[in-house]
PDB file of all heavy atoms in Angstrom:
ATOM      1  N   PRO A  62      34.070   6.893   3.798  1.00  0.00           N
ATOM      2  CA  PRO A  62      33.600   7.455   2.638  1.00  0.00           C
ATOM      3  C   PRO A  62      34.397   8.647   2.245  1.00  0.00           C
ATOM      4  O   PRO A  62      34.871   9.342   3.052  1.00  0.00           O
ATOM      5  CB  PRO A  62      32.095   7.757   2.971  1.00  0.00           C
ATOM      6  CG  PRO A  62      32.195   8.116   4.344  1.00  0.00           C
ATOM      7  CD  PRO A  62      33.229   7.105   4.939  1.00  0.00           C
ATOM      8  N   ARG A  63      34.512   8.940   0.985  1.00  0.00           N
ATOM      9  CA  ARG A  63      35.401  10.115   0.497  1.00  0.00           C
ATOM     10  C   ARG A  63      34.475  11.167  -0.116  1.00  0.00           C
ATOM     11  O   ARG A  63      33.342  10.870  -0.746  1.00  0.00           O
ATOM     12  CB  ARG A  63      36.366   9.532  -0.665  1.00  0.00           C
ATOM     13  CG  ARG A  63      37.494   8.499  -0.168  1.00  0.00           C
ATOM     14  CD  ARG A  63      38.092   8.040  -1.388  1.00  0.00           C
ATOM     15  NE  ARG A  63      39.222   7.023  -1.087  1.00  0.00           N
ATOM     16  CZ  ARG A  63      40.440   7.391  -1.282  1.00  0.00           C
ATOM     17  NH1 ARG A  63      40.863   8.434  -1.982  1.00  0.00           N
ATOM     18  NH2 ARG A  63      41.355   6.491  -0.958  1.00  0.00           N
ATOM     19  N   CYS A  64      35.040  12.217  -0.034  1.00  0.00           N
ATOM     20  CA  CYS A  64      34.300  13.523  -0.747  1.00  0.00           C
ATOM     21  C   CYS A  64      34.404  13.258  -2.189  1.00  0.00           C
ATOM     22  O   CYS A  64      35.459  12.943  -2.760  1.00  0.00           O
ATOM     23  CB  CYS A  64      35.119  14.716  -0.383  1.00  0.00           C
ATOM     24  SG  CYS A  64      34.534  16.238  -1.279  1.00  0.00           S
ATOM     25  N   PHE A  65      33.326  13.550  -2.883  1.00  0.00           N
ATOM     26  CA  PHE A  65      33.267  13.305  -4.333  1.00  0.00           C
ATOM     27  C   PHE A  65      34.085  14.293  -5.172  1.00  0.00           C
ATOM     28  O   PHE A  65      34.239  14.181  -6.283  1.00  0.00           O
ATOM     29  CB  PHE A  65      31.849  13.331  -4.771  1.00  0.00           C
ATOM     30  CG  PHE A  65      31.037  12.127  -4.552  1.00  0.00           C
ATOM     31  CD1 PHE A  65      31.444  11.091  -3.813  1.00  0.00           C
ATOM     32  CD2 PHE A  65      29.659  11.992  -5.049  1.00  0.00           C
ATOM     33  CE1 PHE A  65      30.752   9.934  -3.597  1.00  0.00           C
ATOM     34  CE2 PHE A  65      29.009  10.970  -4.831  1.00  0.00           C
ATOM     35  CZ  PHE A  65      29.538   9.748  -4.153  1.00  0.00           C
ATOM     36  N   CYS A  66      34.579  15.328  -4.409  1.00  0.00           N
ATOM     37  CA  CYS A  66      35.486  16.256  -5.174  1.00  0.00           C
ATOM     38  C   CYS A  66      36.921  16.136  -4.700  1.00  0.00           C
ATOM     39  O   CYS A  66      37.741  15.785  -5.537  1.00  0.00           O
ATOM     40  CB  CYS A  66      35.062  17.786  -4.878  1.00  0.00           C
ATOM     41  SG  CYS A  66      35.992  18.984  -5.807  1.00  0.00           S
ATOM     42  N   CYS A  67      37.264  16.487  -3.501  1.00  0.00           N
ATOM     43  CA  CYS A  67      38.751  16.464  -3.057  1.00  0.00           C
ATOM     44  C   CYS A  67      39.244  15.142  -2.704  1.00  0.00           C
ATOM     45  O   CYS A  67      40.432  14.975  -2.502  1.00  0.00           O
ATOM     46  CB  CYS A  67      38.801  17.482  -1.897  1.00  0.00           C
ATOM     47  SG  CYS A  67      38.184  16.841  -0.282  1.00  0.00           S
ATOM     48  N   GLY A  68      38.372  14.140  -2.546  1.00  0.00           N
ATOM     49  CA  GLY A  68      38.791  12.761  -2.207  1.00  0.00           C
ATOM     50  C   GLY A  68      39.100  12.437  -0.797  1.00  0.00           C
ATOM     51  O   GLY A  68      39.440  11.292  -0.364  1.00  0.00           O
ATOM     52  N   ARG A  69      39.114  13.480   0.170  1.00  0.00           N
ATOM     53  CA  ARG A  69      39.370  13.197   1.585  1.00  0.00           C
ATOM     54  C   ARG A  69      38.240  12.484   2.231  1.00  0.00           C
ATOM     55  O   ARG A  69      37.026  12.464   1.799  1.00  0.00           O
ATOM     56  CB  ARG A  69      39.613  14.545   2.178  1.00  0.00           C
ATOM     57  CG  ARG A  69      40.787  15.272   1.764  1.00  0.00           C
ATOM     58  CD  ARG A  69      41.126  16.573   2.695  1.00  0.00           C
ATOM     59  NE  ARG A  69      42.280  17.167   2.359  1.00  0.00           N
ATOM     60  CZ  ARG A  69      42.435  18.225   1.663  1.00  0.00           C
ATOM     61  NH1 ARG A  69      41.399  18.750   1.089  1.00  0.00           N
ATOM     62  NH2 ARG A  69      43.625  18.706   1.315  1.00  0.00           N
ATOM     63  N   LEU A  71      35.213  11.644   4.577  1.00  0.00           N
ATOM     64  CA  LEU A  71      34.115  12.450   5.055  1.00  0.00           C
ATOM     65  C   LEU A  71      33.812  12.179   6.513  1.00  0.00           C
ATOM     66  O   LEU A  71      33.816  10.983   6.902  1.00  0.00           O
ATOM     67  CB  LEU A  71      32.848  12.233   4.247  1.00  0.00           C
ATOM     68  CG  LEU A  71      32.780  12.722   2.787  1.00  0.00           C
ATOM     69  CD1 LEU A  71      31.733  12.092   2.047  1.00  0.00           C
ATOM     70  CD2 LEU A  71      32.796  14.260   2.762  1.00  0.00           C
ATOM     71  N   ASP A  73      30.784  12.934   7.780  1.00  0.00           N
ATOM     72  CA  ASP A  73      29.447  12.542   7.870  1.00  0.00           C
ATOM     73  C   ASP A  73      29.307  11.584   6.722  1.00  0.00           C
ATOM     74  O   ASP A  73      29.263  11.985   5.452  1.00  0.00           O
ATOM     75  CB  ASP A  73      28.493  13.638   7.707  1.00  0.00           C
ATOM     76  CG  ASP A  73      26.991  13.310   7.797  1.00  0.00           C
ATOM     77  OD1 ASP A  73      26.816  12.104   7.704  1.00  0.00           O
ATOM     78  OD2 ASP A  73      26.174  14.150   7.807  1.00  0.00           O
ATOM     79  N   PRO A  74      29.019  10.263   6.892  1.00  0.00           N
ATOM     80  CA  PRO A  74      28.942   9.322   5.698  1.00  0.00           C
ATOM     81  C   PRO A  74      27.695   9.587   4.899  1.00  0.00           C
ATOM     82  O   PRO A  74      27.571   9.057   3.749  1.00  0.00           O
ATOM     83  CB  PRO A  74      28.764   8.058   6.493  1.00  0.00           C
ATOM     84  CG  PRO A  74      28.339   8.239   7.796  1.00  0.00           C
ATOM     85  CD  PRO A  74      29.006   9.525   8.188  1.00  0.00           C
ATOM     86  N   GLU A  75      26.810  10.434   5.345  1.00  0.00           N
ATOM     87  CA  GLU A  75      25.543  10.756   4.593  1.00  0.00           C
ATOM     88  C   GLU A  75      25.740  11.842   3.622  1.00  0.00           C
ATOM     89  O   GLU A  75      24.950  11.986   2.759  1.00  0.00           O
ATOM     90  CB  GLU A  75      24.430  11.043   5.511  1.00  0.00           C
ATOM     91  CG  GLU A  75      23.973  10.165   6.662  1.00  0.00           C
ATOM     92  CD  GLU A  75      23.569   8.821   5.805  1.00  0.00           C
ATOM     93  OE1 GLU A  75      22.733   8.961   4.873  1.00  0.00           O
ATOM     94  OE2 GLU A  75      23.800   7.773   6.324  1.00  0.00           O
ATOM     95  N   GLU A  76      26.850  12.597   3.684  1.00  0.00           N
ATOM     96  CA  GLU A  76      27.210  13.626   2.843  1.00  0.00           C
ATOM     97  C   GLU A  76      27.960  13.110   1.654  1.00  0.00           C
ATOM     98  O   GLU A  76      28.636  12.084   1.612  1.00  0.00           O
ATOM     99  CB  GLU A  76      28.168  14.650   3.510  1.00  0.00           C
ATOM    100  CG  GLU A  76      27.406  15.427   4.627  1.00  0.00           C
ATOM    101  CD  GLU A  76      26.382  16.433   4.237  1.00  0.00           C
ATOM    102  OE1 GLU A  76      26.460  16.820   2.985  1.00  0.00           O
ATOM    103  OE2 GLU A  76      25.553  16.792   4.949  1.00  0.00           O
ATOM    104  N   GLU A  77      27.965  13.812   0.507  1.00  0.00           N
ATOM    105  CA  GLU A  77      28.684  13.512  -0.692  1.00  0.00           C
ATOM    106  C   GLU A  77      29.850  14.306  -0.899  1.00  0.00           C
ATOM    107  O   GLU A  77      30.918  13.957  -1.564  1.00  0.00           O
ATOM    108  CB  GLU A  77      27.771  13.592  -1.989  1.00  0.00           C
ATOM    109  CG  GLU A  77      26.603  12.619  -1.966  1.00  0.00           C
ATOM    110  CD  GLU A  77      25.855  12.683  -3.329  1.00  0.00           C
ATOM    111  OE1 GLU A  77      25.987  13.684  -4.094  1.00  0.00           O
ATOM    112  OE2 GLU A  77      25.050  11.675  -3.652  1.00  0.00           O
ATOM    113  N   TYR A  78      29.760  15.625  -0.405  1.00  0.00           N
ATOM    114  CA  TYR A  78      30.975  16.554  -0.383  1.00  0.00           C
ATOM    115  C   TYR A  78      31.242  17.048   0.897  1.00  0.00           C
ATOM    116  O   TYR A  78      30.333  17.291   1.740  1.00  0.00           O
ATOM    117  CB  TYR A  78      30.577  17.725  -1.383  1.00  0.00           C
ATOM    118  CG  TYR A  78      30.266  17.344  -2.771  1.00  0.00           C
ATOM    119  CD1 TYR A  78      29.092  17.019  -3.185  1.00  0.00           C
ATOM    120  CD2 TYR A  78      31.347  17.054  -3.817  1.00  0.00           C
ATOM    121  CE1 TYR A  78      28.748  16.523  -4.551  1.00  0.00           C
ATOM    122  CE2 TYR A  78      31.160  16.756  -5.030  1.00  0.00           C
ATOM    123  CZ  TYR A  78      29.824  16.485  -5.401  1.00  0.00           C
ATOM    124  OH  TYR A  78      29.650  16.127  -6.692  1.00  0.00           O
ATOM    125  N   CYS A  79      32.496  17.227   1.169  1.00  0.00           N
ATOM    126  CA  CYS A  79      32.959  17.973   2.379  1.00  0.00           C
ATOM    127  C   CYS A  79      32.508  19.336   2.440  1.00  0.00           C
ATOM    128  O   CYS A  79      32.296  19.969   1.449  1.00  0.00           O
ATOM    129  CB  CYS A  79      34.495  17.725   2.518  1.00  0.00           C
ATOM    130  SG  CYS A  79      35.449  18.736   1.482  1.00  0.00           S
ATOM    131  N   GLN A  80      32.533  19.958   3.675  1.00  0.00           N
ATOM    132  CA  GLN A  80      32.153  21.331   3.914  1.00  0.00           C
ATOM    133  C   GLN A  80      33.062  22.277   2.976  1.00  0.00           C
ATOM    134  O   GLN A  80      32.557  23.195   2.487  1.00  0.00           O
ATOM    135  CB  GLN A  80      32.182  21.727   5.280  1.00  0.00           C
ATOM    136  CG  GLN A  80      31.684  23.116   5.583  1.00  0.00           C
ATOM    137  CD  GLN A  80      31.545  23.367   7.075  1.00  0.00           C
ATOM    138  OE1 GLN A  80      31.777  22.500   7.947  1.00  0.00           O
ATOM    139  NE2 GLN A  80      31.261  24.631   7.467  1.00  0.00           N
ATOM    140  N   CYS A  82      34.651  21.828   0.225  1.00  0.00           N
ATOM    141  CA  CYS A  82      34.289  21.620  -1.315  1.00  0.00           C
ATOM    142  C   CYS A  82      32.920  22.352  -1.552  1.00  0.00           C
ATOM    143  O   CYS A  82      32.707  22.871  -2.639  1.00  0.00           O
ATOM    144  CB  CYS A  82      34.351  20.326  -1.862  1.00  0.00           C
ATOM    145  SG  CYS A  82      36.167  19.701  -1.896  1.00  0.00           S
ATOM    146  N   GLN A  83      32.078  22.212  -0.623  1.00  0.00           N
ATOM    147  CA  GLN A  83      30.778  22.797  -0.703  1.00  0.00           C
ATOM    148  C   GLN A  83      30.788  24.358  -0.768  1.00  0.00           C
ATOM    149  O   GLN A  83      30.086  25.027  -1.517  1.00  0.00           O
ATOM    150  CB  GLN A  83      29.779  22.368   0.441  1.00  0.00           C
ATOM    151  CG  GLN A  83      29.347  20.990   0.308  1.00  0.00           C
ATOM    152  CD  GLN A  83      28.406  20.521   1.478  1.00  0.00           C
ATOM    153  OE1 GLN A  83      27.465  21.269   1.655  1.00  0.00           O
ATOM    154  NE2 GLN A  83      28.745  19.387   2.189  1.00  0.00           N
ATOM    155  N   ARG A  91      37.485  15.954  -9.796  1.00  0.00           N
ATOM    156  CA  ARG A  91      37.599  15.050  -8.658  1.00  0.00           C
ATOM    157  C   ARG A  91      39.077  14.757  -8.480  1.00  0.00           C
ATOM    158  O   ARG A  91      39.859  14.759  -9.367  1.00  0.00           O
ATOM    159  CB  ARG A  91      36.814  13.761  -8.827  1.00  0.00           C
ATOM    160  CG  ARG A  91      36.791  12.863  -7.513  1.00  0.00           C
ATOM    161  CD  ARG A  91      36.002  11.690  -7.720  1.00  0.00           C
ATOM    162  NE  ARG A  91      36.044  10.965  -6.473  1.00  0.00           N
ATOM    163  CZ  ARG A  91      35.270   9.733  -6.341  1.00  0.00           C
ATOM    164  NH1 ARG A  91      34.592   9.321  -7.369  1.00  0.00           N
ATOM    165  NH2 ARG A  91      35.202   9.138  -5.127  1.00  0.00           N
TER     166      ARG A  91
END
Side-chain angles (χ1 to χ4, degrees):
R63 295 171 178 244
C64 172
F65 281 7
C66 183
C67 71
R69 292 188 174 97
L71 290 167
D73 184 353
E75 300 299 318
E76 295 287 343
E77 294 185 343
Y78 297 91
C79 68
Q80 185 174 353
C82 289
Q83 291 181 47
R91 188 175 183 180

